[in-house]
Amino acid sequence: MITITALNTGILKFLLRCLILFIISSGSLYAQKIPTIGVTKLLQAAANFQKAKPMEKVYLHTDKDLYFAGDTLWFKAYVLDATYLSASDKSKLLFIELHDDSTDIIRRVSVVIKNGIGNAQIPLNRNAFHEGGYTIKAYTNWMQNFGSTSAFSKRFYIGKIAKDSWLASSTIDLKTINGKEQLTGEVSLKDLDRMPVGLRNLNVMVIDSNRVLLDKNLQTSLDGKFNLQTPLPDSRRISNLRVEILDLRKDGTKQRLQIPLFLNRAGKIDLQFLPESAQLVAGVTGVVGFKAVSESGAGVNVSGVVVDSKGKEVAVFESLHKGMGSFRFKPVLGEKYLAKLTDPIGSEITYKLPLVRPSGTTILVENEEQSDSISVSINATADLIFKKHLFYLIGSARGLVCYARPIILNSPKVIKISKRLFPGGIARILLLKEKVAINERSVFIDHHDRLQMTLSSIIPVYKIRDKISMELEVKDKLGKPVVGSFSLSVTDDGQVLPDKIGNHGIDVSFLLNSDLKGLIEEPGFYLNRLTPIAWKALDNLLLTQGWVGHEWSTVFQPFEPARYDRITLSLTRWRSVKHLEFPVVKHYQLKPWFLKDTIMKVLYPKAGLSVLGSEINANANMLDEVTIKGKRQWKEVGFADIALDSNDIKSTGALNVYELLRQVLPQMTIEPTIHEGYGKRYMLKWQNREIWYINDFEGKVGDLAGYLEKTQNEVREFWMTQPIKDLQMIEIMSSDMYTDRFLMGRTLPDGKNRKPLIVRRTYVTSDTTQFRNPLSMLSAQQYYQPKYLPEVAELKNQRATVHWEPNIITNKDGKAKVSFYATDEVGSYSINVQGADLMGKFGGSNFSLKIEK
């Protein structure tokens, strides 16, 4: 059995109830004289496996979902044991990475975790973060044992602001002209005061991934509009389609906008069929799930028919939500089935269904929302029923076996399984033959036991600059007060769209996202279920994205020791830290902030441009732009194309040399190269030139070198461990004048006369090992709160994040007080609260607040 320590009373009661129900359900098996020794071994093996490799789950609560370069991303981390969702005692450190949509790592930091929680902030300085989509990922060292899918992941958008930034609206659509599919429509540009950007010379490109479909110069009309028309290639699927607009003015700041285009061409729909039991079995009725995805990566609603080899219609199907649906179907031996779409009209592509197996088993699961049990129908072909094989029906959740029963298939079986056996979240029903899982199905168990929250204020309506005092009260399902740790974010609805359906809540993360594969569009729709179709849509989601395909036989084999263990806060361990490598994926495009229909007002970018001292800045941690002074003479070296001293380096906000070079050399890549004695290796390049570097410690110049490694990730890891601390100067020599002068009399390491780009780094000490810390640990800072004193009464506060409070602790009555100041903007605030008691209970809620003049 599994040894359980430090669990709360509720979890112990749950496990005791599971044991009693399991004994009751097994009692009838002895009466049938079915051997049960296999169940005992199976349970013990599964328990040992879970004990040897207990998983963790991570959730990050961020202050908002839209940021601007120069802003600060505030977050609180919850690191819980994946089985009991109590505070994890396994990990004391959390890695956090920010990736752009090219999958490059822009920032990597770590935060100390104590009793399952930690909080900090990441400055999004303007030099490092460009306009576009980003992904924040979080994982512990221990989680690396379970692969990249175990990490927390959240997508968000970062905008770039300037005094002449533009707003855009687009009516570009897909039309068929002269038999060819073409993009056609209109784009309208306005400035931040909503005045048309008229008579402006632009370069406009339409790009599919890295392939340019259109490149032309044009001029906007007096009302700031221009027309666009270009044919699309019909021989391939479109990926990451966008319109790029570049301002061609020679004076001032050039604007560059990227407007994503979301296509839904009928002939390019990806339609997949997934049988409930992972296989179609001849003569056995089963459920088939399906999912239709457009070229843009989003679910698209479809309907159609299934036909046999003679063209006879045998089934119809229609998606319910986000391109997903299901239908019942009884396949015939020897037949091959095709699906044809009837909607959207115009699709001539047929889709193959999986092949029909002549022999096998299926499980059909009924999980009614209001029922207290799950119904499992087990069917098999006649040959298996005749042989009376022994099977095991297994129900598991969160890594625990919650139900197990041996079954002899001498006839079809219908088995009821109590939902009380399972904790809330995704449960997996498996049919095993010996040690092999042959059928699998995921279902959702909802005990409606997430934490209940109320937020009350002293007065019903507040005015601008009022001090707002509120009381948070948290109770469990039975109405008992809860002591726990919570985080709260207050945002201005006029500048940040509220998450009304809870797509980014802690419950969605722990109960849904962390256990499913692939992109889940609007996951809050399934969990909070505000419409009648949501429960059925959730079941379709689990049919199509809930397939795990566990190799159950691994629990019976000797366990390999974990490759990654906990990280202690010791310098000796820091030097050997390795980070998780994420696969390259196609990111679903996010809608930019500057598109007209995504915002109601543009106070945020205007406030971000305010002159500090005359107005309160939009974000308290905005860093100044780096001014590259260039051609600076320093010591005996001479001159460089770019020279940054310690103050310049500090102002970039970079945490290591890789982040610094990426800012100074924005087109820097990690590319393969051929070197004598090494063969094919990877190294940093800029404009197809190798980047070589020298270290200068206290005036002593070292040998010229370039860092070569077998993989791109190894090169990145090396440069990300090169220290920023005590870096006194960095000089970059790219022009012939400076590289020739520096290389005079020197021989390049590979003996070839090629000109690299040279980076010279100067430290104030020769011992770099004491600084080579790949963890870049963050310490939490206090979120800024304004003080409205008479002498600063004229200052204007227009921040998008009105307040952020990560460490709210409720008392024995389940209550905690919160206070903050209203800004100078009339409108409404969204208040988002997330948290947990760190002993298995968690939840989140959204509230709203009105601000009057």
Side-chain angles (χ1 to χ4, degrees):
M1 298 297 292
I2 299 174
T3 303
I4 303 168
T5 58
L7 296 179
N8 67 349
T9 305
I11 293 178
L12 289 173
K13 287 181 179 179
F14 167 76
L15 293 175
L16 181 61
R17 184 169 67 245
C18 291
L19 178 60
I20 294 172
L21 289 173
F22 173 73
I23 293 172
I24 293 173
S25 65
S26 298
S28 60
L29 302 179
Y30 289 101
Q32 299 174 29
K33 297 182 179 180
I34 297 177
T36 58
I37 188 171
V39 171
T40 304
K41 290 182 178 179
L42 187 149
L43 289 173
Q44 188 62 53
N48 292 339
F49 186 83
Q50 192 277 340
K51 185 178 179 181
K53 289 188 176 181
M55 295 183 67
E56 292 178 317
K57 289 189 177 184
V58 172
Y59 169 69
L60 293 187
H61 181 201
T62 60
D63 62 313
K64 53 182 179 285
D65 307 317
L66 167 66
Y67 296 88
F68 284 84
D71 203 347
T72 297
L73 187 156
W74 301 84
F75 68 88
K76 180 175 181 178
Y78 297 82
V79 181
L80 305 185
D81 174 272
T83 299
Y84 307 107
L85 295 179
S86 54
S88 175
D89 61 357
K90 190 73 178 175
S91 298
K92 306 300 180 185
L93 203 66
L94 181 69
F95 299 135
I96 298 171
E97 298 178 358
L98 291 179
H99 298 239
D100 66 9
D101 276 358
S102 69
T103 71
D104 198 7
I105 299 174
I106 310 303
R107 186 73 84 241
R108 176 188 285 152
V109 296
S110 61
V111 61
V112 173
I113 300 298
K114 186 176 182 180
N115 298 324
I117 59 175
N119 69 280
Q121 61 292 314
I122 303 176
L124 307 175
N125 55 299
R126 291 180 295 224
N127 303 299
F129 293 91
H130 56 78
E131 179 115 27
Y134 287 79
T135 304
I136 186 169
K137 298 179 182 291
Y139 58 93
T140 65
N141 199 51
W142 175 255
M143 290 169 68
Q144 295 195 66
N145 292 301
F146 307 98
S148 60
T149 56
S150 65
F152 170 87
S153 180
K154 177 183 176 180
R155 296 266 288 143
F156 64 97
Y157 196 87
I158 295 181
K160 199 86 169 183
I161 54 176
K163 63 181 179 181
D164 51 359
S165 289
W166 294 341
L167 305 177
S169 60
S170 168
T171 59
I172 297 176
D173 202 356
L174 187 65
K175 294 183 179 180
T176 301
I177 301 176
N178 298 325
K180 297 283 292 183
E181 289 183 317
Q182 299 198 27
L183 287 176
T184 180
E186 181 182 75
V187 176
S188 176
L189 302 176
K190 295 183 179 181
D191 62 22
L192 294 184
D193 293 318
R194 301 191 182 274
M195 298 299 294
V197 181
L199 304 178
R200 188 65 55 88
N201 292 323
L202 306 173
N203 174 250
V204 177
M205 291 190 295
V206 178
I207 302 175
D208 166 27
S209 292
N210 296 320
R211 181 184 180 188
V212 177
L213 305 180
L214 174 71
D215 186 350
K216 64 183 299 185
N217 294 340
L218 49 80
Q219 187 181 71
T220 59
S221 61
L222 196 60
D223 56 358
K225 299 178 180 179
F226 66 87
N227 293 320
L228 188 67
Q229 183 171 318
T230 184
L232 287 179
D234 54 11
S235 60
R236 51 176 275 177
R237 288 173 60 87
I238 297 295
S239 174
N240 194 25
L241 185 66
R242 62 197 185 275
V243 177
E244 290 196 2
I245 305 170
L246 176 64
D247 185 3
L248 294 179
R249 288 181 302 174
K250 294 183 179 180
D251 56 331
T253 302
K254 288 188 176 181
Q255 290 302 307
R256 182 186 295 272
L257 299 184
Q258 288 194 8
I259 302 177
L261 301 177
F262 302 95
L263 285 188
N264 183 18
R265 291 192 288 179
K268 303 296 182 181
I269 291 174
D270 179 17
L271 179 59
Q272 296 185 6
F273 292 90
L274 302 105
E276 178 176 24
S277 301
Q279 58 191 16
L280 293 178
V281 179
V284 179
T285 300
V287 172
V288 179
F290 65 90
K291 181 171 184 178
V293 178
S294 70
E295 288 177 276
S296 302
V300 55
N301 286 326
V302 297
S303 63
V305 296
V306 177
V307 298
D308 61 17
S309 57
K310 300 177 182 62
K312 180 183 176 181
E313 182 180 309
V314 296
V316 297
F317 59 91
E318 182 177 5
S319 58
L320 180 67
H321 181 70
K322 298 293 183 183
M324 289 175 282
S326 62
F327 61 94
R328 293 202 176 197
F329 173 53
K330 186 176 181 179
V332 176
L333 181 63
E335 275 289 358
K336 294 182 179 180
Y337 297 96
L338 297 176
K340 297 181 179 180
L341 295 183
T342 56
D343 186 41
I345 300 172
S347 174
E348 299 179 354
I349 297 178
T350 57
Y351 302 86
K352 293 181 180 180
L353 268 67
L355 295 176
V356 180
R357 297 193 178 190
S359 175
T361 60
T362 66
I363 56 174
L364 192 152
V365 179
E366 297 286 347
N367 181 24
E368 297 295 333
E369 184 173 11
Q370 305 304 325
S371 176
D372 61 358
S373 63
I374 303 167
S375 174
V376 182
S377 300
I378 306 174
N379 294 282
T381 50
D383 60 319
L384 295 180
I385 292 177
F386 176 78
K387 293 178 180 178
K388 297 183 179 181
H389 286 301
L390 176 64
F391 294 85
Y392 297 100
L393 184 64
I394 304 297
S396 66
R398 302 186 189 174
L400 288 177
V401 174
C402 304
Y403 176 89
R405 175 175 175 171
I407 296 171
I408 290 181
L409 283 181
N410 50 14
S411 63
K413 302 287 186 181
V414 179
I415 298 171
K416 298 282 188 179
I417 305 176
S418 173
K419 293 183 181 180
R420 290 181 296 162
L421 287 170
F422 301 92
I426 295 177
R428 306 195 186 279
I429 309 298
L430 298 101
L431 187 66
L432 272 64
K433 184 180 180 182
E434 296 180 352
K435 299 178 181 181
V436 180
I438 54 177
N439 300 127
E440 178 180 341
R441 175 71 151 92
S442 294
V443 295
F444 193 82
I445 306 296
D446 196 343
H447 297 303
H448 302 282
D449 55 356
R450 299 188 289 279
L451 296 180
Q452 307 300 312
M453 303 178 185
T454 57
L455 195 62
S456 56
S457 58
I458 298 175
I459 58 177
V461 179
Y462 289 91
K463 303 184 183 304
I464 60 173
R465 296 199 175 194
D466 273 352
K467 183 177 182 180
I468 301 172
S469 297
M470 313 190 82
E471 184 176 70
L472 174 67
E473 185 174 11
V474 184
K475 297 180 180 180
D476 65 11
K477 177 182 178 180
L478 301 177
K480 296 180 180 179
V482 171
V483 178
S485 178
F486 301 88
S487 44
L488 175 145
S489 174
V490 185
T491 54
D492 180 1
D493 290 345
Q495 304 175 65
V496 179
L497 294 178
D499 180 17
K500 292 183 178 180
I501 63 173
N503 287 321
H504 305 296
I506 190 172
D507 48 2
V508 167
S509 179
F510 285 151
L511 298 180
L512 213 58
N513 292 350
S514 59
D515 288 328
L516 293 180
K517 294 182 178 180
L519 169 70
I520 305 175
E521 298 178 67
E522 299 182 356
F525 171 86
Y526 303 103
L527 200 62
N528 297 314
R529 298 195 296 280
L530 302 178
T531 66
I533 69 166
W535 181 259
K536 179 59 178 175
L538 173 57
D539 197 53
N540 290 334
L541 174 71
L542 297 181
L543 267 172
T544 55
Q545 293 183 230
W547 172 253
V548 174
H550 285 301
E551 288 291 339
W552 190 264
S553 58
T554 58
V555 304
F556 299 98
Q557 298 172 357
F559 305 138
E560 293 184 5
R563 293 180 59 193
Y564 304 93
D565 205 345
R566 70 184 72 194
I567 293 181
T568 60
L569 303 184
S570 163
L571 284 174
T572 58
R573 296 299 304 274
W574 284 1
R575 293 174 189 158
S576 60
V577 168
K578 292 187 178 297
H579 295 279
L580 195 54
E581 187 167 357
F582 293 93
V584 176
V585 297
K586 174 188 173 183
H587 288 296
Y588 179 72
Q589 292 190 94
L590 299 176
K591 188 172 287 187
W593 69 275
F594 53 75
L595 287 183
K596 185 178 179 181
D597 59 346
T598 64
I599 55 176
M600 288 176 284
K601 54 187 176 182
V602 200
L603 296 173
Y604 192 88
K606 284 187 176 181
L609 296 163
S610 304
V611 179
L612 197 61
S614 62
E615 286 186 356
I616 293 179
N617 205 278
N619 27 75
N621 293 279
M622 185 173 284
L623 300 174
D624 293 332
E625 296 273 7
V626 173
T627 301
I628 297 176
K629 301 177 181 178
K631 298 184 180 180
R632 178 192 307 197
Q633 188 172 6
W634 194 79
K635 291 190 177 180
E636 75 283 5
V637 175
F639 293 85
D641 294 276
I642 298 175
L644 304 179
D645 62 19
S646 58
N647 290 329
D648 295 328
I649 295 168
K650 183 179 180 181
S651 68
T652 66
L655 300 176
N656 52 62
V657 173
Y658 180 79
E659 293 179 3
L660 179 62
L661 291 179
R662 200 180 184 281
Q663 294 183 38
V664 180
L665 304 170
Q667 287 81 38
M668 185 181 74
T669 57
I670 303 176
E671 300 291 341
T673 189
I674 303 296
H675 273 260
E676 294 180 3
Y678 291 96
K680 182 180 177 180
R681 292 293 178 105
Y682 284 85
M683 69 181 307
L684 292 183
K685 287 189 176 182
W686 182 76
Q687 295 184 355
N688 207 32
R689 295 172 60 183
E690 296 180 355
I691 296 179
W692 295 87
Y693 70 97
I694 59 170
N695 284 326
D696 182 357
F697 303 109
E698 296 178 335
K700 299 176 181 179
V701 178
D703 293 332
L704 189 66
Y707 196 77
L708 304 172
E709 269 294 0
K710 294 181 180 179
T711 69
Q712 292 174 308
N713 194 57
E714 288 173 336
V715 173
R716 185 186 295 111
E717 289 290 335
F718 169 79
W719 287 93
M720 292 192 84
T721 58
Q722 299 304 296
I724 282 289
K725 183 179 179 182
D726 291 329
L727 184 59
Q728 184 175 348
M729 173 72 68
I730 191 163
E731 297 170 292
I732 296 176
M733 291 161 260
S734 59
S735 64
D736 290 345
M737 180 193 320
Y738 302 127
T739 55
D740 288 345
R741 180 172 179 177
F742 187 83
L743 293 172
M744 189 178 299
R746 296 175 182 266
T747 301
L748 293 178
D750 62 356
K752 296 181 180 179
N753 186 26
R754 78 169 64 118
K755 292 182 181 178
L757 180 139
I758 299 169
V759 176
R760 174 180 176 177
R761 301 172 297 163
T762 305
Y763 291 93
V764 296
T765 176
S766 59
D767 182 10
T768 62
T769 57
Q770 62 177 303
F771 306 128
R772 190 170 294 179
N773 173 15
L775 301 183
S776 302
M777 292 180 60
L778 293 176
S779 57
Q781 298 178 2
Q782 183 72 32
Y783 187 77
Y784 167 78
Q785 289 201 47
K787 296 180 180 179
Y788 294 116
L789 303 176
E791 59 269 24
V792 293
E794 73 281 0
L795 300 184
K796 197 168 186 181
N797 181 356
Q798 295 179 321
R799 291 182 299 167
T801 298
V802 179
H803 185 61
W804 167 251
E805 194 158 338
N807 294 312
I808 301 174
I809 307 298
T810 51
N811 59 23
K812 62 181 179 60
D813 298 319
K815 297 180 179 180
K817 295 187 180 300
V818 180
S819 64
F820 56 91
Y821 285 96
T823 66
D824 290 321
E825 285 303 310
V826 173
S828 61
Y829 294 162
S830 285
I831 305 175
N832 182 256
V833 183
Q834 304 291 332
D837 69 351
L838 304 179
M839 293 192 298
K841 300 174 185 176
F842 53 89
S845 291
N846 291 310
F847 307 93
S848 60
L849 185 67
K850 294 289 184 181
I851 304 296
E852 295 183 350
K853 188 71 174 176

